[in-house]
Amino acid sequence: MNGKVRIINHRCSVSKLIVSAGFAVALLLGLFATGTSGATPEQSQMSDVMSSLPQGDSPPQAAMAASNGIPITVIFQKRVSPDLFYTGVADTHIYLYQPDQNFGGLGTMRLHPGSGGRERLLIKFDISRITPPVTIVNATLHLYAWYRTQPYHLTASAYRLRKHWNEHDVSWNRATSESFWTAVGCQDPLYDYDPTSVATTTLSYTNNWYSWDLTEMAQGWLDDPASNEGVLIVADGISNQYQFRTSEIPATNLRPYFVVTYQLGGPTPTQTNTPTQTPTPTQTSTPTNTPTPTVSPTATQTPTPTPSPTITLTPTNTPTPVLTPLAKMFQQGLYPAATYEGVSDTFLSFYRPNTPWGSDDGIRISGRGNSSERALVHFDLDGHIPHYAHIHSAKLSLFAWSRRTYYGLRISAFDVLRPWEGGEATWNAAYALESWGIPGCDQVGGDREGDSAASRFIYFTNYFYEWDITALVQRWVADPSTNNGVAFIGHQIDQEMRFHSSEWRVPLQRPKLEVVFTSSGTPPVLPPTRTRTPTRTPTGTATPTSTPTLTLTPSPTIPPE
């Protein structure tokens, strides 16, 4: 009897030792797993997401821009665009033979190739109004050349500036009032500028615009705003001087401008990598070596935290593209793309009632008599702005270049109700086979509306004037069949104003329409971004379910009798 008791006690003590050892092993394994992760499940999951991202500058941008699909164009020009308060332009030149002279604030800047570039241009645009993450599609610098000393061509190359400079202090010797160029004339390739040319343009004529493609450079400025010191332009060729207008010139239309086209970026696609990193629960298979059944309840609780972080992450990022206002410019041969030909314009003349003026490079508006000369302008918006978009503002601008007398003229914009053809419209007819209800597009309710959509006073020339037609564009976008453009009619004053048409040889001075809008509907690309993340999360929950089936196997080892 005592022998049996000893045997039983011995067996019990052995069983206790085995159970204790099992607890110890499980505890050590738990501590080891925690130590190797070094973070909570939520933290480790986020770390896995970040580590799975592609390396480089803002990796999610290209994918998000593609899903957005609508390029945005912004024009930077001092006191003109993006608005009249924009002053983020610095432009000047430096001169070898006046090494301490500053030329900032002048209306002209000079470029000369002699002596290795004795006159050099420095230009800088603040583009911080574009908020990253974005992908730059195109960025182009435009300068207007108005004078040259000899009829020779020059090659002008643009280089990235590295050293900080100040427009009102810079000279051949100095970058700012407190610092010199590392090499006079901004010629040190390590500290003053990058010696690799990013763009080159051939200068051939005066009274002409020239451009430099700075797309790659602009992307770098957005990714690292502190690196934006602008560009240095150096000429090469036969001794000759070209002069360009600066941002200080009173004629705003001749000031340098920088056109940036970009697509919106976003972090949503990066979360698709989250489920691929969740196999970490497979380490729980190690309890198969432990004979203790008490470990199984802890395994059943582990799947519960895994779905929570993936669900909470996705909704925070998806609303961003919907709320972002988009600005789009329409101008013949320029915006939204160089292939855009959606502008039709002409004028109607009482004095030549059967003559079409659609191919003329000018538009005339006269208040003489019963408004004897009137203009028609139409922009095709179909396919460029979603039908469900909400229009925040729409401004149509015309460039006034001449006036007959010194008087001003009030010009009103009216919604046109009757379709017309730019190459056929005359004072008498809307197009070849249909006449106006009243000549001159003057039948209220048939040819045009009776109340003006916008009105403004015109006086100065060499200036863009704009009319706010937001309400009209909102209707045109919702129902493109109602878009017959606008009629510009001058009030009854003996004055004639002339504007450039879409046929004018300088594209920047053609009629333009700038629209700011948001997409009030849900773009079709957004719903898939929500469904991708939840559909893959069950892969994380499926792996823990195997652990309960494994931990049930040690239960027969308890009764050893």
Side-chain angles (χ1 to χ4, degrees):
M1 186 71 178
N2 292 335
K4 289 183 178 180
V5 172
R6 289 193 191 98
I7 292 171
I8 291 172
N9 290 338
H10 179 69
R11 288 178 179 177
C12 290
S13 61
V14 171
S15 298
K16 290 179 180 179
L17 287 173
I18 293 173
V19 172
S20 301
F23 274 117
V25 171
L27 180 61
L28 288 173
L29 288 173
L31 291 174
F32 176 75
T34 305
T36 54
S37 65
T40 65
E42 293 83 355
Q43 292 170 331
S44 61
Q45 189 173 17
M46 184 59 68
S47 176
D48 292 338
V49 171
M50 297 305 295
S51 63
S52 66
L53 292 176
Q55 300 300 311
D57 292 334
S58 302
Q61 291 175 355
M64 190 60 206
S67 68
N68 192 300
I70 302 179
I72 303 168
T73 298
V74 180
I75 302 174
F76 296 92
Q77 190 175 33
K78 186 174 181 179
R79 297 290 186 186
V80 176
S81 181
D83 53 52
L84 296 179
F85 302 101
Y86 176 73
T87 57
V89 187
D91 46 25
T92 187
H93 72 280
I94 55 178
Y95 185 28
L96 169 66
Y97 298 126
Q98 291 180 277
D100 296 313
Q101 180 66 45
N102 170 256
F103 299 97
L106 297 182
T108 188
M109 50 186 175
R110 307 193 300 261
L111 184 67
H112 198 293
S115 304
R118 70 190 190 197
E119 288 177 316
R120 302 173 166 216
L121 308 183
L122 291 84
I123 305 123
K124 177 165 52 177
F125 285 83
D126 178 8
I127 59 173
S128 61
R129 294 200 185 186
I130 301 176
T131 305
V134 300
T135 299
I136 301 296
V137 178
N138 183 265
T140 311
L141 169 67
H142 299 262
L143 300 179
Y144 185 80
W146 69 278
Y147 175 79
R148 64 179 178 180
T149 56
Q150 301 292 337
Y152 304 137
H153 296 182
L154 288 182
T155 299
S157 300
Y159 303 86
R160 182 172 67 89
L161 278 165
R162 288 174 168 166
K163 193 177 186 67
H164 177 65
W165 57 280
N166 185 291
E167 178 185 11
H168 300 291
D169 296 323
V170 68
S171 65
W172 186 264
N173 288 334
R174 290 181 175 272
T176 69
S177 60
E178 299 177 352
S179 63
F180 292 90
W181 295 111
T182 307
V184 293
C186 183
Q187 298 186 77
D188 189 286
L190 293 179
Y191 300 102
D192 293 337
Y193 79 108
D194 186 335
T196 303
S197 171
V198 296
T200 299
T201 294
T202 300
L203 309 178
S204 305
Y205 305 99
T206 57
N207 297 320
N208 196 29
W209 286 95
Y210 294 95
S211 62
W212 290 260
D213 187 341
L214 307 181
T215 303
E216 183 177 352
M217 190 179 298
Q219 185 69 65
W221 293 340
L222 283 180
D223 296 338
D224 181 13
S227 67
N228 183 5
E229 292 299 340
V231 294
L232 170 72
I233 296 181
V234 181
D236 183 38
I238 300 174
S239 182
N240 187 17
Q241 182 194 77
Y242 273 75
Q243 295 190 15
F244 299 85
R245 293 304 189 188
T246 72
S247 295
E248 308 303 323
I249 192 72
T252 57
N253 60 296
L254 301 181
R255 293 175 182 174
Y257 66 98
F258 192 46
V259 182
V260 181
T261 300
Y262 65 93
Q263 290 179 324
L264 297 176
T268 305
T270 62
Q271 295 177 14
T272 58
N273 294 325
T274 306
T276 61
Q277 299 295 328
T278 55
T280 49
T282 56
Q283 296 181 2
T284 58
S285 60
T286 53
T288 56
N289 296 325
T290 64
T292 306
T294 56
V295 183
S296 58
T298 58
T300 58
Q301 296 178 1
T302 54
T304 54
T306 53
S308 56
T310 58
I311 294 174
T312 55
L313 286 175
T314 50
T316 56
N317 296 320
T318 50
T320 306
V322 180
L323 300 176
T324 304
L326 306 176
K328 212 161 196 181
M329 181 80 75
F330 297 87
Q331 196 170 28
Q332 192 88 318
L334 280 181
Y335 312 111
T339 56
Y340 178 71
E341 298 291 336
V343 184
S344 180
D345 48 31
T346 187
F347 69 93
L348 317 176
S349 176
F350 169 80
Y351 306 107
R352 299 180 68 176
N354 296 311
T355 301
W357 301 93
S359 60
D360 199 87
D361 64 1
I363 296 172
R364 303 176 192 175
I365 301 175
S366 174
R368 176 185 296 179
N370 186 27
S371 304
S372 56
E373 290 175 320
R374 307 174 176 194
L376 299 175
V377 181
H378 171 268
F379 288 84
D380 182 10
L381 307 179
D382 193 19
H384 297 283
I385 299 177
H387 297 314
Y388 51 75
H390 173 68
I391 307 300
H392 293 277
S393 69
K395 298 178 180 179
L396 193 157
S397 300
L398 300 178
F399 187 85
W401 68 275
S402 175
R403 61 184 180 185
R404 188 170 57 83
T405 69
Y406 287 103
Y407 299 110
L409 178 66
R410 177 163 292 278
I411 299 176
S412 299
F414 296 84
D415 186 21
V416 177
L417 303 179
R418 189 184 302 275
W420 53 276
E421 176 61 45
E424 301 175 0
T426 66
W427 182 263
N428 288 331
Y431 52 91
L433 299 179
E434 182 172 347
S435 299
W436 296 109
I438 295 177
C441 185
D442 212 27
Q443 184 185 52
V444 175
D447 296 332
R448 62 175 175 87
E449 290 286 0
D451 296 327
S452 66
S455 181
R456 69 164 303 149
F457 187 78
I458 310 296
Y459 183 77
F460 296 102
T461 57
N462 293 321
Y463 193 80
F464 262 113
Y465 290 93
E466 64 183 28
W467 287 261
D468 189 334
I469 58 170
T470 303
L472 299 186
V473 172
Q474 181 67 75
R475 191 177 73 251
W476 297 344
V477 168
D479 184 4
S481 65
T482 64
N483 181 7
N484 296 308
V486 295
F488 289 97
I489 300 178
H491 291 236
Q492 297 177 0
I493 297 177
D494 188 8
Q495 169 66 299
E496 179 187 88
M497 300 292 299
R498 297 191 179 189
F499 302 85
H500 290 314
S501 75
S502 60
E503 306 297 325
W504 177 239
R505 63 184 178 86
V506 180
L508 190 65
Q509 297 175 356
R510 295 170 181 169
K512 60 184 180 180
L513 176 64
E514 184 174 3
V515 183
V516 177
F517 64 95
T518 52
S519 298
S520 57
T522 303
V525 296
L526 292 180
T529 60
R530 284 181 173 270
T531 57
R532 287 177 184 169
T533 309
T535 54
R536 296 191 181 183
T537 51
T539 58
T541 59
T543 53
T545 57
S546 62
T547 54
T549 58
L550 294 174
T551 54
L552 291 176
T553 54
S555 57
T557 61
I558 296 176
E561 298 183 1

